[in-house]
Amino acid sequence: MDALMFLRQDHKSVLGMLEVLDGAPSGAGSQVSGLETMVTNLVIAESQHEAIEEQFFWPAVRRALDDGDTLADKAIQQEQKGKRLLQQLIDSAVGEPDYHKALQAFVDAAREHIAYEQEMVWPKFEAAVSHEQLEKLGSQLEQAKKIAPTRPHPDTPPKPILLKTIGMVTATIDHVLDALTGRAAKNPPDPQIH
């Protein structure tokens, strides 16, 4: 599977969630609107997506492009900001003002980050690598997503080697907690490429 196709489907799923969450109800109305479930889906999807990008995609960008370090550093900085906002959502409750501020800030930041990737990084990356490399990277992303963390972990340094080692322990703990709490049922499906 082509890496950019896989990531594009992931982005499409997240953009759909962002569309629903943009301007979501606050106060008492948010507690009965299903907002908490939708945000849980977003946290899971985004946590997995960013983890696999940091493990595989950004190192590939660094290797393939002369300005890969600059592009990857900017993207990872955006992702870290997003993780901190997702953690704020986890740490607060639906209906609280801080929750809704963090949610709206995340919606805006995620849209900016997705646009940056798709418009600035992907065209350069696609021009620099072979179809075979895209396919191999796509397979790595697809396999990694199945076992990726389901929480943001903003304090974990976004270093590929750490994410592939310590991150795997963290991901295992996330998956066990998800199973024990019933959160696993809210895990959004992986993109299906035909």
Side-chain angles (χ1 to χ4, degrees):
M1 169 185 309
D2 180 311
L4 297 181
M5 195 180 297
F6 181 82
L7 293 174
R8 184 172 285 110
Q9 290 299 319
D10 246 12
H11 283 181
K12 185 177 177 183
S13 173
V14 168
L15 286 168
M17 288 185 228
L18 297 178
E19 190 68 30
V20 171
L21 293 169
D22 194 5
S26 59
S30 64
Q31 295 168 348
V32 296
S33 68
L35 180 61
E36 186 175 11
T37 298
M38 179 59 88
V39 169
T40 298
N41 285 336
L42 177 69
V43 168
I44 292 169
E46 272 296 296
S47 297
Q48 292 178 320
H49 179 82
E50 301 310 348
I52 65 174
E53 280 189 338
E54 290 171 4
Q55 287 177 32
F56 297 100
F57 183 70
W58 296 120
V61 168
R62 291 180 191 281
R63 287 190 302 271
L65 301 172
D66 291 340
D67 61 346
D69 286 337
T70 302
L71 293 168
D73 287 346
K74 180 175 179 174
I76 290 170
Q77 183 180 32
Q78 292 172 335
E79 291 171 359
Q80 288 299 105
K81 176 183 176 183
K83 288 180 194 179
R84 286 189 297 276
L85 290 167
L86 291 175
Q87 190 62 52
Q88 286 178 18
L89 289 169
I90 292 170
D91 293 342
S92 56
V94 173
E96 293 178 356
D98 287 347
Y99 184 92
H100 294 278
K101 285 180 190 171
L103 178 57
Q104 193 58 52
F106 181 81
V107 167
D108 296 340
R111 285 180 172 151
E112 179 183 333
H113 176 63
I114 289 170
Y116 173 74
E117 281 188 24
Q118 292 185 179
E119 296 166 14
M120 300 298 295
V121 180
W122 291 3
K124 290 181 178 185
F125 185 71
E126 188 170 30
V129 299
S130 69
H131 180 70
E132 290 76 22
Q133 288 170 305
L134 285 173
E135 290 286 326
K136 180 180 177 187
L137 181 57
S139 293
Q140 290 174 321
L141 293 170
E142 188 175 15
Q143 291 303 310
K145 187 166 182 191
K146 294 175 184 175
I147 55 172
T150 60
R151 288 169 176 78
H153 304 288
D155 296 326
T156 302
K159 305 287 184 202
I161 193 70
L162 285 175
L163 292 170
K164 290 178 184 175
T165 56
I166 296 169
M168 296 313 299
V169 172
T170 304
T172 301
I173 293 168
D174 283 356
H175 288 275
V176 169
L177 287 173
D178 290 349
L180 292 173
T181 63
R183 187 174 182 258
K186 297 177 179 149
N187 192 342
D190 289 338
Q192 298 298 311
I193 310 297
H194 304 289

